[in-house]
Amino acid sequence: AHGAGASDAEAIAAARALLQRQPELQARAARLAAKQVPAIERVPFDDLPREAAARAARLQRAEELESLVRVKDSMLWSALQEGRAQEASASAFADETAAARAHAEALRAGAETELSRWEEVADAYAAQARRDEAELHAARAEAQAARREAAAQERSAIEHAAAAAAAVAEQHAARSEAARARAVAEQLSAHNQALVAHAEQLRAQLSMLVPLPLDGAPREAGAVATAQPRVAAATAWRQSPASASLD
């Protein structure tokens, strides 16, 4: 196949060269036709060698011309086939070009549709991002407000805890003071009862120290005068603030 292709290429090249020389050959043929040819000498009928030589020359010339005609026909046929192949190739190329153009138009239309769809998606995502950003800012503001409120509540709780602790401390102090006061009151009450008992003993002793009257009022008056300071002291003690605090 490679050799046949090479021979065809050589034949095509020879045919092209012959076609390129065609004007030159035609001009040469015209010059030869216009050239004066001397009259052919008559050859005797018995001159066979010269007649055979002339016929051989004409036959050789005819073969050469026939070879040239075959080359020309081959060149014309090759040129015709090449032209047909070029026409078919051009038609196929035109069809491929049209198909490629249609495919490119379809791709462009699809790309424009896809681009518009992605633009819509991008716009939707951008709007969603703006909404999310606004919600994020609102959430941050709400979180800050909540933190401030929590801090205020924490401070208030700390203050309440401190106040409660102070109240508890005051309550404990008041309970301790009340306990001490009860203890002091119990001690004073016991002391008061002891003093009352002592006063009763003194009163009894006083009543026992007073003698019966033998000869009249003077001894009675002296005993009463002796006992009156003691009774007055006991009465004064009963009326004093110390006795009242003990009570």
Side-chain angles (χ1 to χ4, degrees):
H2 182 69
S7 62
D8 291 341
E10 291 176 357
I12 291 171
R16 287 180 179 174
L18 181 60
L19 287 176
Q20 290 175 358
R21 291 184 60 195
Q22 184 178 2
E24 180 183 355
L25 294 174
Q26 288 179 353
R28 184 177 178 183
R31 286 195 304 271
L32 291 174
K35 186 177 180 181
Q36 295 295 331
V37 179
I40 300 174
E41 296 181 358
R42 291 186 177 275
V43 178
F45 63 90
D46 56 353
D47 190 4
L48 293 177
R50 293 182 61 184
E51 183 179 357
R55 181 173 293 182
R58 284 195 299 274
L59 288 174
Q60 185 177 1
R61 180 63 179 170
E63 290 179 357
E64 291 177 357
L65 291 175
E66 187 177 359
S67 177
L68 290 176
V69 169
R70 285 196 301 269
V71 171
K72 184 186 71 173
D73 292 340
S74 177
M75 291 176 59
L76 291 175
W77 177 256
S78 299
L80 181 62
Q81 292 296 326
E82 186 177 357
R84 289 178 180 176
Q86 288 180 356
E87 289 179 358
S89 177
S91 177
F93 181 73
D95 294 339
E96 292 178 358
T97 303
R101 186 177 291 111
H103 184 65
E105 290 294 332
L107 288 178
R108 185 176 63 82
E112 289 179 354
T113 303
E114 189 70 16
L115 181 61
S116 62
R117 189 176 70 84
W118 278 110
E119 286 179 354
E120 293 176 358
V121 172
D123 293 338
Y125 275 119
Q128 184 66 32
R130 287 192 294 270
R131 289 193 296 271
D132 293 340
E133 186 176 1
E135 292 178 359
L136 179 60
H137 285 301
R140 286 178 177 174
E142 186 177 356
Q144 290 179 357
R147 283 197 295 270
R148 288 194 295 270
E149 185 177 358
Q153 291 179 357
E154 185 177 1
R155 289 193 298 271
S156 178
I158 292 172
E159 292 175 356
H160 284 90
V168 169
E170 290 179 359
Q171 186 178 5
H172 284 298
R175 287 179 180 177
S176 300
E177 187 67 26
R180 287 195 297 272
R182 282 196 299 271
V184 171
E186 290 176 357
Q187 292 177 359
L188 291 177
S189 177
H191 185 63
N192 188 15
Q193 290 177 2
L195 289 177
V196 170
H198 185 63
E200 291 294 336
Q201 291 177 0
L202 290 177
R203 190 177 291 114
Q205 291 177 3
L206 179 62
S207 62
M208 291 176 64
L209 290 175
V210 176
L212 293 175
L214 296 175
D215 53 357
R219 288 186 62 184
E220 183 179 359
V224 172
T226 304
Q228 280 181 353
R230 297 181 180 176
V231 175
T235 304
W237 169 253
R238 290 285 298 173
Q239 295 176 356
S240 67
S243 177
S245 64
L246 288 175
D247 294 335

